[in-house]
């Protein structure tokens, strides 16, 4: 049995990752500060499903330097899976300091903890947003990422640079994972599946940015977790600088237009959306598309869940969690009307 630190354990991807680790027989120390960026009761409901003899929850803020140092002094981890962060592109326009505190100060505290505790491997969440204004698709980790177009993206690129520095200077093996538009059960309320589903159920308009012509590489959360678990077992080889450092894309490798994505949600719900078409928003990119060739080569895995299957599972969870009954007769009337 191995012991993993999973930061952001009450969050969307962190919860699913911790759950899978526990199911396969590992021990998990789950860290989260349970902030109110979104509904805390959803985070608490996730944590309730992680109650297990091999799970211990630590309520702690990443930016708490003393608290983080104490955690690493008190525990021995076989690996650290760092998924906690201040997420969201648009929110970074309103509250930039939250991103500095969590994504920069917090990440330094994680790196320092791993360094001094001699953690064998740090796997951390990056983001497809680092590709920013890149025009060439699919996005490859061989491309330069010099033009982030949101503060969130800039902090994620900074994380990759900081990780390389610690790999180079202190011999800390690090692997960054650039996630591409993750969705699925227990997702965040500020993400499009929740926003769109809630609006369609309630009959309120949804904002469709860039008139629905954006392309996104929607990736089902179970595929993300499988990628994380495979990568955490593989200490990266030395890169060209000699550091044991690697970055991978994890995406579905099949971009879908936003308009089609909404149609899939409509079909799963049996209801039509009321759409309000709007221009592209500051910080948004036109298209994301992951080249996952390196991930497939190194760990033998590439995401494959079709959007229709993933959305059906998400909508089933949404109905159950929020108590939304199916209304087939009403749905049929609405769709034919």
């Amino acid at each position: 049995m191995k012991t993993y630190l999973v930061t952001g354990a009450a969050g969307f991807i962190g919860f699913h990752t911790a759950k899978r680790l526990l199911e396969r027989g590992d021990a998990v120390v789950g860290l989260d500060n349970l902030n109110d960026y979104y509904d805390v009761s959803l985070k608490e409901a996730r944590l309730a499903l992680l109650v297990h003899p091999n799970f211990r929850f630590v309520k702690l803020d990443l930016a708490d330097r003393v608290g983080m140092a104490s955690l690493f002094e008190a525990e021995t981890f076989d690996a650290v899976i760092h998924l906690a962060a201040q997420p969201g592109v648009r929110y970074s326009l309103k509250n930039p300091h939250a991103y500095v505190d969590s994504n920069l100060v917090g990440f330094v505290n994680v790196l320092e903890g791993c360094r001094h505790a001699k953690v064998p491997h740090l796997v951390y969440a990056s983001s497809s947003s680092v590709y920013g204004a890149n025009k060439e698709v699919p996005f490859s980790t061989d491309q330069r990422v010099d033009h982030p177009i949101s503060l969130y993206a800039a902090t994620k690129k900074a994380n990759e640079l900081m990780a390389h520095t610690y790999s180079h200077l202190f011999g800390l093996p690090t692997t960054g994972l650039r996630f591409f538009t993750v969705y699925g059960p227990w997702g965040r309320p500020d993400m499009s599946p929740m926003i769109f589903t809630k609006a369609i159920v309630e009959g309120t308009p949804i904002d469709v940015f860039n008139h629905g012509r954006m392309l996104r590489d929607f990736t089902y959360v179970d595929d993300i977790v499988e990628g994380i678990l495979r990568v955490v077992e593989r200490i990266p080889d030395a890169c060209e600088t000699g550091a044991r450092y690697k970055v991978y894309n994890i995406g579905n490798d099949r971009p879908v237009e936003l308009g089609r994505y909404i149609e899939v949600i409509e079909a799963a719900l049996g209801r039509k959306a009321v759409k309000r078409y709007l221009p592209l928003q500051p910080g948004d990119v036109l298209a994301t598309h992951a080249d996952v060739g390196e991930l497939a080569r190194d760990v033998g895995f590439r995401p494959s869940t079709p959007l229709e299957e993933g959305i059906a599972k998400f909508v089933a969870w949404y109905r159950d969690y929020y108590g939304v009954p199916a209304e087939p007769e009403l749905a049929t009337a609405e769709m034919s009307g």
Side-chain angles (χ1 to χ4, degrees):
M1 182 173 66
K2 293 183 177 181
T3 300
Y4 295 88
L5 172 63
V6 177
T7 71
F12 173 34
I13 301 174
F15 156 72
H16 282 281
T17 302
K19 187 169 180 287
R20 280 282 299 277
L21 288 169
L22 293 169
E23 287 170 349
R24 76 178 196 181
D26 291 307
V28 175
V29 175
L31 179 151
D32 206 291
N33 68 354
L34 297 179
N35 69 30
D36 61 359
Y37 170 66
Y38 63 82
D39 184 11
V40 175
S41 67
L42 179 60
K43 300 179 182 183
E44 292 171 339
R46 294 179 186 133
L47 285 177
L49 294 179
L50 295 178
V51 173
H52 189 283
N54 293 337
F55 180 76
R56 185 167 77 85
F57 177 64
V58 176
K59 186 178 181 182
L60 182 64
D61 196 301
L62 293 173
D64 182 345
R65 181 174 170 182
V66 174
M68 290 292 290
S70 298
L71 174 65
F72 278 93
E73 289 171 3
E75 303 278 355
T76 300
F77 302 118
D78 292 286
V80 171
I81 302 174
H82 176 51
L83 302 171
Q86 176 58 60
V89 169
R90 295 187 186 112
Y91 187 64
S92 67
L93 300 172
K94 301 176 183 176
N95 192 358
H97 295 288
Y99 292 78
V100 173
D101 293 341
S102 180
N103 300 6
L104 298 180
V105 175
F107 193 60
V108 167
N109 289 338
V110 170
L111 288 168
E112 277 290 283
C114 291
R115 168 197 173 191
H116 291 292
K118 301 191 185 309
V119 170
H121 191 192
L122 167 63
V123 175
Y124 62 95
S126 185
S127 168
S128 62
S129 66
V130 301
Y131 290 104
N134 284 24
K135 297 288 193 293
E136 183 181 347
V137 290
F139 293 150
S140 165
T141 54
D142 292 331
Q143 296 173 12
R144 296 178 66 90
V145 285
D146 295 333
H147 302 100
I149 57 174
S150 71
L151 181 62
Y152 170 70
T155 64
K156 287 300 183 179
K157 177 182 177 179
N159 287 171
E160 295 179 3
L161 297 173
M162 294 156 74
H164 178 269
T165 301
Y166 272 69
S167 295
H168 177 73
L169 290 176
F170 307 117
L172 170 65
T174 65
T175 303
L177 301 175
R178 293 175 178 171
F179 298 150
F180 281 69
T181 317
V182 189
Y183 73 98
W186 296 99
R188 299 198 324 259
D190 65 319
M191 297 172 71
S192 61
M194 288 274 258
I195 293 171
F196 291 169
T197 299
K198 183 175 187 291
I200 293 170
V201 166
E202 295 176 353
T204 57
I206 61 173
D207 292 338
V208 184
F209 295 108
N210 201 44
H211 304 279
R213 292 191 292 271
M214 292 190 293
L215 285 168
R216 288 293 180 270
D217 208 342
F218 295 101
T219 312
Y220 190 61
V221 66
D222 285 358
D223 286 335
I224 292 289
V225 172
E226 181 64 26
I228 291 170
L229 298 192
R230 293 204 187 199
V231 165
V232 78
E233 301 298 333
R234 186 184 189 278
I235 303 295
D237 298 328
C239 67
E240 59 270 21
T241 66
R244 305 196 84 173
Y245 165 88
K246 187 66 181 174
V247 173
Y248 293 108
N249 289 331
I250 299 189
N252 208 41
D253 195 19
R254 284 182 290 276
V256 175
E257 194 168 76
L258 181 59
R260 170 58 186 159
Y261 169 66
I262 295 169
E263 289 174 359
V264 174
I265 296 175
E266 290 174 325
L269 283 168
R271 288 171 171 260
K272 298 294 285 184
V274 180
K275 305 180 186 74
R276 180 165 52 206
Y277 292 99
L278 296 170
L280 193 69
Q281 296 295 286
D284 278 350
V285 298
L286 285 170
T288 64
H289 180 184
D291 179 341
V292 295
E294 283 192 304
L295 182 74
R297 180 197 69 203
D298 290 353
V299 302
F301 174 72
R302 62 173 64 234
S304 60
T305 302
L307 182 67
E308 292 77 7
E309 178 185 330
I311 288 295
K313 290 178 178 178
F314 166 76
V315 167
W317 166 81
Y318 184 94
R319 287 191 186 281
D320 179 65
Y321 184 76
Y322 290 103
V324 178
E327 299 176 273
E329 294 182 6
L330 178 61
T332 302
E334 286 177 349
M335 293 187 75
S336 62

